[in-house]
Amino acid sequence: MTFAATVLTLYPEMFPGPLGVSLAGRALCEGIWSLETVQIRDFATDKHRSVDDTPAGGGAGMVMRADVLASAVDDVLARRPDAPMLAMSPRGRPLDQALVRELAAGPGISILCGRFEGIDERLFEARPIIPVSIGDYILSGGETAAIVLLDACIRLLPGVMGAPSSGTDESFEAGLLEYPHYTRPQIWEGRTIPEVLRSGDHAKIAAWRSERAVDDTRLRRPDLIERHGGARRPPPSGARRDT
Ligand code: SAH
């Protein structure tokens, strides 16, 4: 089944952009996912085709109009009733791997990209739209955020990644950062690859990786440890660890 992405934007030329190369690009060519862009401006009704207006209450910038956006959203919802309608917004639900997994398991997603100061709040009251944020910083528009969200979903679609297991060991999948990676050369600038990784002892390697995942997460992202109640990732490939 094709994962159908529909992007509502003022800049359709930004798509597929980086999603047209590498894994995502190949998957697009193979029909594992599909992409449709919808030009929001096509739903404007005045002769200037305006999509924004000055903010009520005053202040800088422009606000995207609820009436124009609703027409665009309604058009997409009518054609793709199964796909959840998301809107990229710094005021939205923080994107994490759990949400990515949930969305990637569905039939597709429709994404409304904001510009200017953002979107008239009444749109969110009047339509089933889920605002999603990709982090605590401000981008100039929702398009790059939509690309981030789509990239994260697409790599999880069946047939996109080489090894079916390569997604499950990753950072955040078990509420922890992933263990660090090494590859040849064996010695680089006097630094050697940790001895255990050359031991060939898979149980020992799995235990080392599991320990490093916990230690690095504690050090770099104590918030993750807290959120997951200090849960430890089960050691990969069935290795046992002493705790
Ligand atoms: N004035 C707004 C920011 C508007 S930025 C505020 O302070 O909340 C313009 C558009 O960029 C937004 O409508 C949204 O679509 C997108 N955007 C900016 N930062 C984002 C983020 N962190 N996550 C998701 N979308 C973002």
Side-chain angles (χ1 to χ4, degrees):
M1 199 185 66
T2 300
F3 180 87
T6 309
V7 181
L8 298 82
T9 171
L10 288 171
Y11 299 99
E13 64 273 25
M14 287 179 75
F15 294 87
L19 300 176
V21 300
S22 191
L23 286 183
R26 200 176 323 132
L28 183 59
C29 288
E30 288 170 355
I32 294 175
W33 69 289
S34 69
L35 173 68
E36 183 199 354
T37 54
V38 172
Q39 170 55 272
I40 293 167
R41 205 172 288 284
D42 290 347
F43 294 85
T45 50
D46 63 346
K47 69 170 191 290
H48 300 295
R49 299 179 80 210
S50 59
V51 295
D52 57 332
D53 210 330
T54 53
M62 300 293 273
V63 176
M64 295 182 88
R65 289 168 52 153
D67 56 346
V68 176
L69 290 183
S71 301
V73 164
D74 289 346
D75 181 75
V76 172
L77 284 175
R79 289 186 295 110
R80 301 221 178 269
D82 297 345
M85 174 69 67
L86 314 177
M88 303 320 298
S89 165
R91 286 161 45 88
R93 168 177 171 183
L95 181 64
D96 60 14
Q97 193 63 14
L99 179 54
V100 167
R101 279 216 171 271
E102 189 185 315
L103 295 172
I109 46 179
S110 303
I111 311 176
L112 175 59
C113 301
R115 279 273 158 180
F116 321 119
E117 286 309 311
I119 295 167
D120 187 315
E121 186 65 17
R122 291 170 296 177
L123 184 74
F124 296 101
E125 297 162 10
R127 295 294 183 276
I129 300 174
I130 307 155
V132 174
S133 166
I134 65 158
D136 294 342
Y137 41 82
I138 304 297
L139 302 165
S140 55
E143 289 79 8
T144 43
I147 288 168
V148 167
L149 171 57
L150 285 171
D151 178 278
C153 290
I154 291 161
R155 61 187 289 284
L156 294 182
L157 300 177
V160 174
M161 276 192 294
S165 69
S166 59
T168 57
D169 228 22
E170 228 102 40
S171 291
F172 312 119
E173 289 291 355
L176 295 172
L177 302 179
E178 200 188 30
Y179 49 81
H181 297 280
Y182 300 86
T183 188
R184 283 182 283 273
Q186 183 54 44
I187 302 175
W188 174 72
E189 293 192 350
R191 297 160 199 275
T192 53
I193 293 174
E195 195 57 43
V196 58
L197 297 181
R198 295 192 292 142
S199 66
D201 183 334
H202 294 297
K204 241 164 79 182
I205 291 170
W208 180 87
R209 285 178 167 168
S210 168
E211 210 158 312
R212 276 300 300 262
V214 173
D215 291 350
D216 289 357
T217 307
R218 263 190 221 295
L219 204 65
R220 297 174 181 200
R221 293 292 304 277
D223 58 305
L224 288 180
I225 299 274
E226 208 133 288
R227 206 177 315 155
H228 294 272
R232 296 197 152 183
R233 90 163 46 201
S237 56
R240 300 230 304 258
R241 45 171 296 139
D242 307 315
T243 43

